[in-house]
Amino acid sequence: MSARLTPESLITLPAYIARPAYDRTRIQTGIAHIGPGAFHRAHQAQLIDDILETDPRWGIDVIALRSRETLDALRAQGGLFTLKRLQTETQTRVIGSIRRAFGSQQDPEGTIMALSGPQTRLITLTITEKGYCLAPDGALDLSHHDIIHDLAHPAAPRSAPGWLAAALARRKASGAGAPVILSCDNLEDNGRKLAQAVITLARQTDPGLAGWIEARVLFPRSMVDSITPASDAAFLDRIEAELGVRDEAAVQREAFTSWVIEAADAEPLHVLGRAGAVLTSDVEGHALVKLRVLNGAHSALAWTGLAMGHASVAGAMADEWLRGETEALIRREILPGLAAPDGLDLEAYASSVLARFSNPAIIHLLSQIAWDSSQKLPVRLLGTVEANLAAGRRVDRLSRAVAAWMRMIVRAARNKTALTDPLADQLTATGLRCTDDPEADTARFLALQSVFSARLAQHPVFRAALSRGYRDAIALERGARPALELNGA
Ligand code: CS2
């Protein structure tokens, strides 16, 4: 294996490769980030790298709550990693905005210092939907195993809400002041849900801290967007061949990026705004459009494409029938229930999403998008189903997508393929009981109360559309291209 990417080996890289254009030794920490996964490195860390060229106060300390792999890679590389932008014209850039990396379980003191130091004025999170430990109604799940632990050990937490509560307690005691805390995950109303989770947790053990957080800490909503496929071994090998050194933390993404943040008078937000983030009062409008159009269609494409034997997003979009169905899902069943934020042209946005999905330069695996689907399904599609049912709009294609998710579970259970999902055991057990009878099988899944609300599970129009969709999904598995039977709406 080649030498590693390090501050010392930067000088050996091919001249065309962009690299930090500032003195990294002068950078101070201004941001603590929880969840240094591919999306953070490909998106926020790159935007902060731009900021550091003119303002050295905003270096990032990253904190991993679980996996050590990224942590160890970043530490071995002095925080450096490669970002490969994949579009018709590609770009290779080494990012230097990450200063230090902490494992919360391995180095709790380093973690709490990074979160509670007075120089840390912004805390951001990309921990995926499941990281917030929320119940289906969006409130903190006090029965969640990590929350139960954190209630018993508030000074030695495991969960993201637990670490935030512990850090805020230390900041309150030390006079370090209140940071801005920014959720950057695909969660509707993410800032409010995170705030309520942290305040609810704090209130269980320290009502005074809960009141301080409520009064002093800003949790703006935000919406982030950039398609970022996971880095696999083949990608890391390609980066090594290009750089001439090994980078175990390299990431790839499309050219498109967007960061929309709820406007507030706080320095960290002004700094992000100057670097290209959009500050607006209507984040929710932008977030809902992105969550329901892009993410909803992404998940529908993943579940349906996997049933048909496709492996990647671009490959699924090259299937004329599936591309047409995906476009019809967006334009006929998702767009009609959405309001256009800040004058956004929704039809044009839909066209841009379909074009981004078809980017041949990106290998975005459907199986990756299918991870944690039990957490994604409610926020990406079921909200649209409920809104359409209430308004008397169609739910046929939405229901077929939900049914395709069910069939994915059934296939995995029968094939003994492991599911990447917090509800894996429960889902597998449900899948094993299925018999391919549409009404009986869909009823089994509708009984999953952590995924489907009772109201939705009992809705006759949805149940009927779901059964027809389940029948269609089985036909798709067998190579057919069923014509959609529209419900009466
Ligand atoms: C994808 C998202 O993996 C998934 O669930 O739908 O990661 C998607 O690529 C991003 O939200 C795009 O901004």
Side-chain angles (χ1 to χ4, degrees):
M1 183 184 287
S2 316
R4 283 298 282 269
L5 171 65
T6 63
E8 295 69 33
S9 66
L10 266 180
I11 195 169
T12 68
L13 304 186
Y16 74 88
I17 292 178
R19 64 206 72 192
Y22 51 87
D23 178 355
R24 295 185 75 223
T25 63
R26 292 184 54 246
I27 299 303
Q28 306 145 24
T29 293
I31 300 169
H33 180 83
I34 303 178
F39 187 81
H40 168 68
R41 300 197 307 278
H43 184 269
Q44 291 103 21
Q46 180 254 293
L47 187 135
I48 299 302
D49 206 47
D50 295 342
I51 291 171
L52 292 174
E53 290 185 15
T54 54
D55 188 341
R57 299 176 299 150
W58 300 98
I60 306 171
D61 282 350
V62 294
I63 293 154
L65 299 182
R66 298 264 183 277
S67 67
R68 289 197 52 127
E69 200 177 339
T70 301
L71 218 53
D72 294 343
L74 289 169
R75 280 178 169 161
Q77 299 176 183
L80 293 172
F81 65 90
T82 308
L83 168 58
K84 186 79 177 176
R85 195 183 71 175
L86 298 168
Q87 212 66 39
T88 42
E89 73 292 341
T90 62
Q91 182 200 55
T92 307
R93 171 175 170 180
V94 174
I95 304 295
S97 53
I98 293 177
R99 290 191 69 240
R100 301 182 296 179
F102 298 98
S104 62
Q105 301 308 315
Q106 301 82 11
D107 184 358
E109 191 50 30
T111 297
I112 200 77
M113 288 301 293
L115 289 167
S116 61
Q119 81 288 349
T120 299
R121 297 181 296 289
L122 174 64
I123 298 174
T124 52
L125 301 92
T126 49
I127 51 176
T128 77
E129 300 88 340
K130 62 181 181 291
Y132 292 81
C133 308
L134 303 179
D137 66 357
L140 182 68
D141 179 359
L142 292 172
S143 67
H144 189 289
H145 50 83
D146 282 349
I147 299 302
I148 291 170
H149 170 275
D150 293 355
L151 287 171
H153 310 280
R158 284 190 193 142
S159 72
W163 275 107
L164 291 177
L168 292 171
R170 182 155 315 180
R171 296 180 78 101
K172 174 174 180 283
S174 69
V180 173
I181 300 181
L182 202 46
S183 164
C184 303
D185 281 296
N186 291 324
L187 208 57
E188 200 174 329
D189 205 5
N190 54 15
R192 185 185 59 78
K193 285 176 180 167
L194 177 58
Q196 288 310 310
V198 176
I199 291 164
T200 301
L201 185 61
R203 186 172 289 120
Q204 310 303 310
T205 54
D206 183 345
L209 173 62
W212 184 84
I213 296 170
E214 256 180 326
R216 299 280 304 278
V217 183
L218 274 180
F219 290 84
R221 299 172 176 87
S222 95
M223 184 279 288
V224 291
D225 186 7
S226 188
I227 291 175
T228 307
S231 302
D232 59 13
F235 170 69
L236 296 182
D237 289 347
R238 288 197 297 274
I239 293 296
E240 179 177 355
E242 185 176 358
L243 268 57
V245 293
R246 186 71 180 176
D247 176 357
E248 292 288 336
V251 290
Q252 56 186 330
R253 67 162 166 81
E254 64 175 335
F256 177 90
T257 65
S258 168
W259 197 357
V260 180
I261 302 173
E262 185 174 12
D265 186 16
E267 186 189 21
L269 302 187
H270 297 316
V271 169
L272 293 175
R274 286 196 293 273
V278 173
L279 303 184
T280 173
S281 58
D282 192 7
V283 177
E284 262 326 281
H286 288 274
L288 201 59
V289 167
K290 191 257 179 175
L291 201 54
R292 291 190 174 183
V293 176
L294 186 146
N295 293 118
H298 239 179
S299 287
L301 193 64
W303 301 325
T304 309
L306 287 169
M308 299 167 67
H310 292 298
S312 72
V313 173
M317 290 297 282
D319 179 309
E320 194 177 330
W321 179 87
L322 186 48
R323 179 193 172 84
E325 286 302 304
T326 303
E327 180 158 14
L329 168 70
I330 293 174
R331 297 194 192 279
R332 296 181 200 168
E333 296 193 12
I334 298 176
L335 286 192
L338 289 170
D342 293 336
L344 179 70
D345 179 335
L346 291 176
E347 290 293 344
Y349 177 80
S351 301
S352 75
V353 166
L354 292 163
R356 289 168 60 193
F357 283 2
S358 304
N359 180 353
I362 284 199
I363 302 171
H364 198 181
L365 296 179
L366 300 178
S367 56
Q368 176 194 336
I369 296 169
W371 291 342
D372 302 336
S373 285
S374 70
Q375 312 296 299
K376 296 175 179 179
L377 173 58
V379 293
R380 295 182 176 196
L381 286 101
L382 297 186
T384 304
V385 170
E386 299 225 33
N388 283 14
L389 290 170
R393 291 189 295 263
R394 298 194 184 289
V395 294
D396 306 278
R397 289 184 168 88
L398 288 157
S399 304
R400 185 169 60 192
V402 177
W405 167 69
M406 296 173 177
R407 290 302 300 174
M408 180 185 80
I409 303 301
V410 172
R411 293 195 305 275
R414 291 174 178 172
N415 300 334
K416 296 183 172 42
T417 306
L419 284 172
T420 301
D421 193 296
L423 302 182
D425 294 344
Q426 197 178 359
L427 295 172
T428 301
T430 302
L432 287 174
R433 289 196 296 274
C434 289
T435 62
D436 294 357
D437 175 279
E439 282 71 22
D441 287 2
T442 51
R444 288 187 178 94
F445 280 98
L446 288 173
L448 294 167
Q449 293 175 5
S450 56
V451 179
F452 299 97
S453 67
R455 181 178 64 250
L456 191 56
Q458 291 153 19
H459 198 294
V461 172
F462 179 53
R463 292 178 71 100
L466 203 51
S467 292
R468 287 196 301 277
Y470 193 87
R471 181 201 61 214
D472 288 355
I474 292 174
L476 288 171
E477 289 170 353
R478 296 169 181 166
R481 296 287 188 274
L484 194 74
E485 183 187 332
L486 299 180
N487 72 329

